[in-house]
Amino acid sequence: MTLEEIAGTLAELFSAEVVKSIAPGSWQIETADFRLLVLLSEDNTWLRILLPIMPLQEAEPFLKQVLEANFDDTQETRYALYDGVVWGVFQHNSGTLVNADFANAIARLISLYQAGVNDVFNNLVETRIREIIQAAKQQGQSLEATMQNLDRFYAEGLLGDIDQNPQGREQVLAAWRRRLESLWGEL
C-alpha cells in the first residue's frame, strides 16, 4: 500500500476529522474511545498499527492468558508490552499489504481493545473451573458436594468479597453452578 492508499483507507474507515497525519508516513486516529497509531518505517517498507489496550498493571494477573491469546485467538494481530502498556499490534510488509487486510487488521485491533481483558479473564476462569472439577472428581466428590464447598468458601470469605450482599453472593454461586453443571460431564 502506498501512503495515499493508507491515508485514503483511514479516511474511509474513520472520518477525515479524526485522522491526523503526525509526520510523513505516520497517522493518529483519536476518537472518544481510543487512539490508534499507523506508522510506516523510515524506508516505507513496513507498516505497523498500534492501539493501547490497557495499563500493564491491570493485565499482569492475566499475562499467561494474553500470551496464549496471541497463539490462538488474535489472528493477524498480537498483544505486545511496551512502556507499561499492553498494546494491540499489527505489522506487515507495506508492499504486499492490500486494502482489505489493512481494514481487517484495524477492525481486529479495535475488537481487542473493546474486549480488554474480558476474553483472557474468561479463559482464566474456564481453566480454574476445569481444575476445580478435576480435583473434585479425583476426591470422589459429587457436583452437589463441590457446590457446597464453594458455598462454604464464599461464606468464609475465601472466595469472593466477604462483605458481598446475599443477593450478589447468590448470583455468583448460581453462575458457578451453571458453569460447573455444563462442564461436569465433559471432564
Side-chain angles (χ1 to χ4, degrees), residues 155-184:
E156 294 173 359
L158 296 173
L159 289 175
D161 184 1
I162 198 161
D163 296 325
Q164 188 174 30
N165 66 41
Q167 180 184 5
R169 186 168 153 251
E170 288 306 315
Q171 288 175 338
V172 169
L173 287 170
W176 270 101
R177 174 172 288 287
R178 285 190 302 274
R179 198 62 193 133
L180 283 170
E181 286 173 345
S182 70
L183 292 174
W184 195 265

Side-chain angles (χ1 to χ4, degrees), residues 38-179:
V38 178
L39 309 170
L40 280 169
S41 62
E42 286 186 27
D43 62 0
N44 292 342
T45 59
W46 279 93
L47 174 106
R48 179 181 288 173
I49 308 170
L50 304 161
L51 180 62
I53 305 288
M54 72 187 57
L56 175 59
Q57 188 175 23
E58 289 178 27
E60 279 182 324
F62 314 107
L63 286 181
K64 179 179 181 277
Q65 288 73 29
V66 167
L67 289 175
E68 287 173 352
N70 273 350
F71 189 79
D72 285 333
D73 303 328
T74 60
Q75 298 169 5
E76 73 278 10
T77 59
R78 295 286 177 260
Y79 287 108
L81 305 175
Y82 179 73
D83 200 25
V85 175
V86 176
W87 295 81
V89 179
F90 170 79
Q91 296 184 113
H92 201 285
N93 180 309
S94 58
T96 59
L97 184 61
V98 297
N99 190 25
D101 291 338
F102 179 63
N104 287 338
I106 290 172
R108 186 72 184 141
L109 287 171
I110 292 170
S111 175
L112 289 178
Y113 170 78
Q114 291 169 337
V117 293
N118 289 339
D119 290 344
V120 294
F121 175 76
N122 290 338
N123 289 342
L124 175 62
V125 168
E126 183 83 8
T127 300
R128 295 296 185 251
I129 290 172
R130 289 177 181 276
E131 289 171 354
I132 288 168
I133 292 170
Q134 288 173 338
K137 285 187 170 187
Q138 286 174 351
Q139 295 172 8
Q141 287 183 1
S142 67
L143 172 61
E144 206 48 51
T146 303
M147 277 306 302
Q148 287 173 355
N149 282 337
L150 289 173
D151 186 35
R152 183 175 52 85
F153 291 158
Y154 271 89
E156 294 173 359
L158 296 173
L159 289 175
D161 184 1
I162 198 161
D163 296 325
Q164 188 174 30
N165 66 41
Q167 180 184 5
R169 186 168 153 251
E170 288 306 315
Q171 288 175 338
V172 169
L173 287 170
W176 270 101
R177 174 172 288 287
R178 285 190 302 274
R179 198 62 193 133

